[in-house]
Amino acid sequence: MGIPMTRRQEGQMPRSGDIVNVNPFELLVSEHASLRAQLRRTIEAAAMSTAEARTRDAVQALSRAVRQHMREEEATLYPVGERLFGPHGAVIVLRNDHAAIEAKLSTPDSTASRNLASWLESLAMHLEAHLGREERVLFPMMTALMSGKEMDRL
């Protein structure tokens, strides 16, 4: 599955022009890890920072990253999932998660210092539940049902 890979020494990063085997679900899990790390850094910054502008910037950067990730999933991943499972299958739950996360990101008090800790805690709960459902349910189901060519297109 994925694109054929030019063999290099184990652990060595590919050079520009090398062909690399890419599993789209491994990339998504990696993106999820990046979002989790960014969320942790934002929570830590909010807890330690007295600089409201710095904290607001971290929250805004996190919001942009989460929204971008959701847009990409909705444009590429979810249509394939809906084709595989039908419009009322597993993907509908994940689309509803996105709507709930977007509503949380749009909450006006998300950068108010007195409510920031509880807002971040609530966002973390929503986001972790959603990412876990994708990683434990959607990705394995799609991997089992998709051909190599379908994986390459994804």
Side-chain angles (χ1 to χ4, degrees):
M1 283 181 218
I3 301 169
M5 183 175 167
T6 302
R7 284 283 165 206
R8 308 225 349 113
Q9 274 190 324
E10 181 140 354
Q12 189 175 9
M13 295 297 295
R15 295 179 304 204
S16 177
D18 282 353
I19 299 172
V20 179
N21 186 10
V22 178
N23 177 317
F25 299 110
E26 289 174 5
L27 289 175
L28 286 165
V29 169
S30 177
E31 285 183 22
H32 288 178
S34 293
L35 289 173
R36 286 178 174 113
Q38 187 172 3
L39 177 60
R40 271 192 312 275
R41 287 190 305 272
T42 303
I43 290 169
E44 290 167 3
M48 296 172 53
S49 181
T50 56
E52 193 171 312
R54 186 180 204 185
T55 302
R56 184 178 56 246
D57 291 347
V59 168
Q60 289 173 347
L62 174 65
S63 294
R64 281 191 305 273
V66 169
R67 284 181 169 124
Q68 177 64 34
H69 179 78
M70 291 189 312
R71 277 192 303 273
E72 290 171 0
E73 286 182 337
E74 290 176 5
T76 58
L77 180 66
Y78 290 178
V80 174
E82 288 165 337
R83 183 182 56 73
L84 292 170
F85 312 122
H88 302 292
V91 176
I92 193 75
V93 173
L94 300 169
R95 284 191 184 276
N96 289 338
D97 285 352
H98 279 192
I101 292 167
E102 179 56 42
K104 179 54 69 178
L105 292 173
S106 299
T107 304
D109 68 352
S110 63
T111 56
S113 58
R114 62 185 168 82
N115 295 323
L116 185 58
S118 64
W119 181 86
L120 284 168
E121 183 179 313
S122 177
L123 176 63
M125 274 184 11
H126 280 85
L127 194 57
E128 186 54 44
H130 171 73
L131 299 177
R133 277 190 279 279
E134 286 183 340
E135 293 169 2
R136 288 187 304 274
V137 178
L138 185 67
F139 298 171
M141 287 172 55
M142 289 181 75
T143 298
L145 295 174
M146 292 174 68
S147 71
K149 286 186 181 197
E150 288 174 312
M151 293 277 277
D152 289 345
R153 284 193 303 267
L154 187 62

